[in-house]
Amino acid sequence: MRTPAEHGSGPLSQIAGAVFRYTVLGLCLVVTCAPTLVVIVLLGQGSSTVPFQVLALLPVAPALSAGLWAVRGWQQDADASAFLLFVRGCRRNVGDVLRWWVPTLAVGGVLGANVALADVVPGAELVRGLSIVVAVLLPLWSGQMLIVTTFFAFRTRDAARIAAAELFSSWRVTLAHVSLLVVAVGVVRLGTEALLLFCAWAFVALLEVSSRPTVRDVRVRFTVRA
């Protein structure tokens, strides 16, 4: 599939190419994350469903990683196929991403249960405060981890340490991730989960832009140039 950018270098061609690429990216994200939306809708609201809603997020991180890979790819080559870049990102990164995303979701499910069921489970109130703190830090660390495992090929444990270091050293990027999380929660609260899914392409684009300092820092500090 070839993009409209190949047929000219003028402003209109560039705009058409960008619209085409982001449309393809949006459709890819909708298809890959649709199972998450279906499961969350079918589960409904309720404290007992929180762990299952967290586990339903399994396809999200690999999809975001593939989207980031696609955005970075067509910035380097505007004529590259957006769909093929997304598929290539999935194949390249899905294993690395799932190696940390699955245990992260498991921990998130436990934390969600601790917070949601603290009023009805004896003793749960004692760990509620700690669970809230960890539940706040976990998605921020996950954001840095997503960037590291998308654009670099470290071992999982090394990537985890680097992401933890970047959480504080690249604090501006962390704040940008916080802003994106706040906006995402606002979209869900004021709209629906489906609206957030259809806006996922914009979040991926903003995430790629905001995370460039982390990519540069990791490349300088933790990689060796040939």
Side-chain angles (χ1 to χ4, degrees):
M1 186 181 298
R2 299 171 71 84
T3 67
E6 292 179 292
H7 304 296
S9 58
L12 290 180
S13 295
Q14 293 178 0
I15 293 173
V19 170
F20 179 83
R21 288 190 292 270
Y22 281 110
T23 300
V24 173
L25 174 62
L27 290 175
C28 290
L29 291 170
V30 167
V31 171
T32 51
C33 294
T36 297
L37 178 62
V38 171
V39 171
I40 290 177
V41 171
L42 291 178
L43 285 173
Q45 301 297 321
S47 300
S48 61
T49 66
V50 170
F52 301 102
Q53 291 179 353
V54 172
L55 294 177
L57 299 174
L58 183 63
V60 172
L64 293 178
S65 177
L68 288 170
W69 183 263
V71 173
R72 180 60 58 86
W74 72 52
Q75 287 176 350
Q76 298 173 351
D77 181 6
D79 292 337
S81 166
F83 175 73
L84 291 180
L85 283 172
F86 187 89
V87 173
R88 194 176 303 155
C90 282
R91 291 176 177 175
R92 180 185 185 275
N93 297 324
V94 64
D96 291 338
V97 172
L98 287 178
R99 270 192 285 272
W100 62 267
W101 184 235
V102 171
T104 298
L105 289 180
V107 172
V110 173
L111 295 173
N114 289 342
V115 174
L117 303 176
D119 296 330
V120 297
V121 176
E125 186 65 35
L126 298 177
V127 296
R128 186 174 194 174
L130 179 61
S131 296
I132 291 175
V133 173
V134 178
V136 170
L137 292 176
L138 193 62
L140 300 181
W141 172 83
S142 297
Q144 296 286 6
M145 191 67 170
L146 180 66
I147 300 304
V148 173
T149 51
T150 295
F151 298 115
F152 301 94
F154 297 109
R155 293 179 301 179
T156 302
R157 62 184 179 183
D158 293 332
R161 296 191 186 104
I162 292 171
E166 291 295 323
L167 184 63
F168 300 101
S169 61
S170 297
W171 59 269
R172 291 182 178 86
V173 175
T174 301
L175 289 179
H177 292 175
V178 171
S179 301
L180 290 175
L181 283 174
V182 171
V183 173
V185 172
V187 170
V188 173
R189 291 294 184 183
L190 298 177
T192 63
E193 291 86 353
L195 178 60
L196 178 63
L197 179 57
F198 283 102
C199 295
W201 64 270
F203 283 90
V204 169
L206 292 173
L207 182 62
E208 192 279 329
V209 172
S210 65
S211 298
R212 290 175 187 174
T214 292
V215 175
R216 288 194 296 267
D217 189 55
V218 171
R219 183 175 291 116
V220 171
R221 294 174 60 193
F222 301 106
T223 65
V224 178
R225 294 186 179 182

